[in-house]
Amino acid sequence: MDLLELRAIAREVVVQACELTADLQKRLLSAEIRAKSDLSPVTVADFASQALITLLLAARCPGLPLVGEEDARAPREDAALAAKVHESVQKFIPEVTLEQVLEALDKGSHPGGEGRFWVLDPIDGTKGFLRKDQFAVCLCMIDNGKVLVAALGCPSLPVDPPPAELGCVFLAARGQGATQLDLASGRERAIHVSEAVDPSSCSYVESMESGHSSHGAHARIAGRLHMLPPIRMDSQCKFGVVARGQASLYLRCSDRDQQIWDIAAGAMIVEEAGGKVTDLQGRPLCFSRGRTVGSAAVFASNGRIHQAVVEAATEAATE
Ligand code: AMP
Ligand code: MG
């Protein structure tokens, strides 16, 4: 199977998972928005999105392992949760049985490393999902540490600067560039990072949640470069926003080794849009170490300001 066929498969399955998750997000009730109970739509959506994508991939591209964020333990122990997940998946695959859904969820436990496998975060940014804000369905294929194809579904992201319709999927295949597919219109167009060279004219994106990355560390780096104030957003949508040139930098400095499903798909889309993604010292990322990246701090830029950010980060670390 060539890269463009794999990209088409990734596109098709992520579009369906966007429909599934966007529908469940719309049905969130106000009580559920405040508390993530075990049966809340975000929990159901997490498992249903992973099961649906795993089943669709197995039918189109059999035999490839998957590194997924979720597994079947919780739905196997909770019949009510399993039934809701099954019902959600059946809307897309009517003949699927409960056991097939659970078996699909068991397949996400691949340890990563060398070789070829899919990587999936079925709902990245669950906090954003619960706030009825940004979240992403993130799928990519990795081959010996390099991302070959990626699809980043952002069902709540405006397709253009607001006011604009919501919902797009960022797509890329290695060496073929990156695109944005608008979910409502079906229009697909090439995207590129910003051309800005002066950091002081650039804005940066960071997590909404200060527990996921250090807003203080970001402010110290951005402050040295006199950058514009941050745009805060949940999920890998941040990579998409850099890839299409809406912001020039995504900073993610945390205290914990990053999971590959939180980084790999978005990173490749930024690179294919002309940008650069590295650790804070400017070293390239490698996705063959296992289920984590081996770095607690990563950033994505338009490439042109990358070296200035590395230097600012080095200076900020000695402050
Ligand atoms: P974001 O929406 O960008 O805030 O990122 C959401 C992701 O952050 C989740 O998928 C978690 O896996 C991840 N996460 C949670 N805590 C941390 C942490 N301390 N460092 C890095 N990532 C984290
Ligand atoms: Mg995640």
Side-chain angles (χ1 to χ4, degrees), residues 256-260 263 279 281 283-298:
R256 193 185 89 180
D257 195 358
Q258 304 285 341
Q259 308 283 352
I260 58 174
I263 305 290
D279 70 8
Q281 286 75 44
R283 293 176 298 222
L285 304 182
C286 174
F287 298 109
S288 62
R289 291 168 187 265
R291 289 168 70 93
T292 59
V293 179
S295 176
V298 303

Side-chain angles (χ1 to χ4, degrees), residues 69 120-126 136 138 235-236 252 256 259 261-263:
E69 187 174 13
L120 173 65
D121 191 340
I123 293 195
D124 183 38
T126 47
C138 316
S235 84
Q236 286 190 55
R252 189 175 183 87
R256 193 185 89 180
Q259 308 283 352
W261 55 79
D262 283 333
I263 305 290

Side-chain angles (χ1 to χ4, degrees), residues 137-160:
V137 177
C138 316
L139 176 69
C140 64
M141 180 186 274
I142 290 185
D143 184 53
N144 290 326
K146 293 238 178 301
V147 186
L148 291 183
V149 294
L152 181 61
C154 307
S156 299
L157 190 67
V159 300
D160 282 314

Side-chain angles (χ1 to χ4, degrees), residues 14-26 49 122-124 129 132-138 152-159 164-170 181-184 235 237:
V14 167
V15 165
Q16 293 198 54
C18 283
E19 200 184 312
L20 181 154
T21 52
D23 179 52
L24 283 166
Q25 191 189 36
K26 276 192 210 100
S49 172
I123 293 195
D124 183 38
F129 184 96
K132 294 208 169 186
D133 205 344
Q134 297 310 322
F135 69 98
V137 177
C138 316
L152 181 61
C154 307
S156 299
L157 190 67
V159 300
E165 68 199 26
L166 303 184
C168 54
V169 180
F170 298 100
L181 166 71
D182 299 347
L183 283 167
S235 84
C237 287

